[in-house]
Every structure is written in C-alpha cells, then in structure tokens.
Amino acid sequence: MQKTAHYRRASHFDGQSMFLQAAINSCQDNYKSHGFPVFKVKNDLDCIVAKHKTDAGCDFLHLVTYERGAGAAVIETITNTSVTEQPAPNTKEFIQSQVFILCSGDNVLWTTHSNALRDSAVAVLINELIKSFGGFVKRPMYVFEANLDEKMFRRLMDEGIQEIDLAVGGYKDTLDYLRSGGKMEEAGLFSVLKSALSKKISKKKRQAASKISARVVLRPGRDWADPKVKELMAEMASNVLNEMDDGFIIVTKNGLRVTHDSLKVKDDFHVDGNKRVVDVNQIHTKLLESFAKLEGMGVFEN
C-alpha cells in the first residue's frame, strides 16, 4: 500500500532551547522498564509509545492514539505483526490513529495509518510526549513549519513540474465573461464552457453555477523531462507564484507542494499492509530512505 512521508521543520517557541530530536530522545530515560509508555492526549484520548528507537542518527517513533480505557485491546492489536488479509477484530475500533515519526535535529518526517492527521495534531502528540516523559523543568515546546528558502523551492521547480492547479474563478463568473463577448471564447477550456451557453440559462441554473468553482490543471505529459518543456513549466510556475495571491497549487516531480501560503515537501513510498495492519519495520526503513532522498535534494536545514 502507498504511504506518504511529510516533511516539516520543527521550530522551538517556548521552554528550554534545544533541537527537537534531543528533547524526544531524552524521553527514553523516563519510560518504564517494562510495558508500553502511555500518556494523555486529551480528556477521552490516550497515546501509547509502541516503538521508540534511535538509529542512523535519527529517532524513530510509532505512536498510537486510542480511546481511554481500551489499552489492553490496543496493545493486542499493535503487537500483531501479521500483514496478511484477515477479518478486523472488534478491538480495532479503539484505535484512532497511528503516527510514524522520524526526527533528526529539527527536521521531521512522518506518515500515518488508520486515520490521517494534520501537522498541527502531530506536533501536539510530540509536545505531549515531551511533557510526559522529558523530565524538563522548563520543557521545550515546538510548532511545525512548512516554509522553505525561496532559492531552494525555485531550484526544485526547475527540476520538473508535475502539475499546476489553477482556480480560474467561479463558474458563473466564467459564463458571464463568455456571454459578454470575451476574447478567449475559442480557447480550449472556454470553448467547452461556451457550449453551455447554446440555450438560455435559467435563473436557477445561474444560481447553481455561482456555487461551482472551475479549475484548470496544467500537466507536462510524457515529455516532462524535455529541457524545453521543463523550462516552460518552470517559467509558468514562477509566473503563477509572482502574480497570483491565492487559489493555486504547484506540485513538482520531486514532491514539493507549493500554495500561496506554504511550501510543503512529501515523498511517496510503498509498504506491505492493508487498512487494518501495516509492517512497522518497513515503514521505518522507508522513512529512512525518504530522509536520505530529501537530504540529497538539499531540503533539510542544518
């Protein structure tokens, strides 16, 4: 099954100043000598540290959030290493989400299973882990940031654009533009939309059209690696960045995702598993591979 490794930069904002990895690593000194460490996330939710390992200069965490009171059932589930297809036991319903985190310095990669989590939710889990087991007098706290250096993301765009997704405005606005004799009515998208005007548009249809957002997605096709195609797509992406304030998404071939307010990097990989169970060791290995790949691209800050 396909998984996505998401990258963020951890930014320290309170408490003792240190790299996130150092704060996470210190938690190992305060785990119980036996059993799984457990900490409170919120009133009805707990989290088990199913795995915490320091390897290849990184700390790897497998965190499982679950309904309070269902600890025994969750432990039974996460200790089952089978990845073959099987009926889901009733105990599965207690697990809310699983997060696999790889951290080096202040660089964080993670992927999820069971349910997806936003980066802010992953940061909350890490901060609560440090609060519970870090042993700090002034515990450090962190937020995740998605921004990269401008020179970096423009270089990554030059290496190949996967798609440029544009919001061209409300569908009703587009129809009104065409009805008023716009000069682009014979262009591909506008030619298609113009066909909708062959008959008189009723008031109800016009009201419905006001609730539809039209989009244009530009993709380079099979010849994306052609130098001229790459140059043109990169130029178009730069123009979008310079001239549009909102409503666009640029995705590069190397996993960079650019919107008007953030620059996010991801890397897709495959592991054995299904919707119920997944191979934790494979995820650890794949996250290490993704880390090495992104490090080679120059994405990480030192």
Side-chain angles (χ1 to χ4, degrees), residues 59-78:
D59 271 56
F60 173 73
L61 285 166
H62 176 197
L63 304 180
V64 182
T65 63
Y66 64 95
E67 298 174 11
R68 177 153 299 130
V74 171
I75 290 173
E76 179 183 353
T77 299
I78 64 177

Side-chain angles (χ1 to χ4, degrees), residues 157-161 164 219-237 253:
M157 287 197 304
D158 288 339
E159 294 179 3
I161 299 291
I164 303 173
R219 296 188 178 95
R222 295 182 179 180
D223 295 325
W224 71 270
D226 182 289
K228 292 183 179 179
V229 174
K230 290 175 67 175
E231 181 181 357
L232 177 59
M233 291 295 294
E235 181 179 345
M236 294 171 66
K253 287 291 184 179

